[in-house]
Amino acid sequence: MRSRALYLLSIFLVLTLAACSNKPADTASNSASQNTAAPSNDASGNASSPAAPATAAPPPAPAPQPLVVPAGTTLTVRLGESVGSKISSPGQSFSATLVSPVTVDGNTVIPAGALARGTVVDAKPLGRFKGGAILEVRLNSITVNGTEQRIKTSAVTRTLKGKGKRTAVMAGGGTALGAIIGGLAGGGKGAAIGAAAGAGAGTGGAAFTGNKEIVLPAESALSFRLTSPLEVNP
């Protein structure tokens, strides 16, 4: 029995020594495996790191600002058709083209030849016996870069004084002259006939000398002033 106990004790001691001798080796192998794995972790970490951001695109250029033609600028145009105190009526439109370019700070804003449109503001022919003729026109639009833009301008006015007083005197003078001739020819009755004839002659003279009308023929050059600024997109 005692020998058996010694035998078991010997086996226990052998197993204990074997376990102690294997543990450092396991610990060393574990350390080695950890050291070996560490570089792979670092490598994988470097591989998964985000790439440097791409260079941002430059911001878009700002939109060009409109150019402003100041009030008071003169627009000289050439008429596309005739207008006149007798041949035109208020509200009638007419065409025109810009004669000289309009510049702002040395830059051409509206080129020569730009199409413009205007309106006959007032048109009155000469009265038969009294009153004068009047023609008033104004620009109301101009086409720039293919776009028709509304404008406000001063008016160009032409007037012609009537000769109504002179015409009436001529008519009265004709009547008096007729009465004198009639009186010399045949007394009172002849005077009445002569007066009627003279009146007809005087009136005819008034109609004949009925004076000229205002006419601005096609290709006439007229100058208008802007009364408010005009914004033009480049």
Side-chain angles (χ1 to χ4, degrees):
M1 185 73 181
R2 185 175 181 181
S3 58
R4 185 177 181 180
L6 290 173
Y7 177 74
L8 293 175
L9 179 61
S10 299
I11 293 174
F12 176 77
L13 291 175
V14 170
L15 293 174
T16 302
L17 290 173
C20 290
S21 61
N22 289 335
K23 189 171 184 179
D26 293 340
T27 304
S29 63
N30 290 337
S31 299
S33 63
Q34 289 177 358
N35 292 334
T36 304
S40 64
N41 289 338
D42 294 339
S44 63
N46 292 335
S48 62
S49 61
T55 304
Q65 297 299 312
L67 300 173
V68 179
V69 182
T73 301
T74 299
L75 304 179
T76 300
V77 300
R78 203 173 294 281
L79 294 178
E81 60 259 38
S82 299
V83 292
S85 57
K86 190 173 184 178
I87 63 176
S88 302
S89 56
Q92 177 180 331
S93 65
F94 62 87
S95 63
T97 53
L98 191 65
V99 174
S100 304
V102 176
T103 60
V104 175
D105 296 332
N107 299 315
T108 299
V109 179
I110 309 176
L115 179 64
R117 297 203 65 83
T119 302
V120 177
V121 179
D122 196 7
K124 291 185 177 69
L126 284 169
R128 187 167 187 178
F129 289 106
K130 62 181 180 178
I134 184 171
L135 176 65
E136 183 177 346
V137 295
R138 191 189 309 268
L139 288 183
N140 48 34
S141 72
I142 191 165
T143 299
V144 187
N145 298 328
T147 302
E148 186 177 13
Q149 295 189 232
R150 302 290 297 179
I151 58 176
K152 293 182 179 180
T153 69
S154 60
V156 171
T157 305
R158 298 285 186 269
T159 59
L160 182 65
K161 292 183 178 180
K163 298 182 180 178
K165 184 177 181 181
R166 178 184 173 190
T167 303
V169 169
M170 289 177 64
T175 303
L177 180 60
I180 293 171
I181 294 173
L184 293 176
K189 185 177 180 181
I193 296 173
T203 303
F208 178 78
T209 60
N211 310 324
K212 299 177 181 179
E213 298 289 342
I214 303 169
V215 177
L216 299 176
E219 299 298 320
S220 297
L222 298 177
S223 294
F224 301 83
R225 277 187 311 101
L226 286 176
T227 57
S228 62
L230 170 64
E231 286 191 358
V232 177
N233 292 318

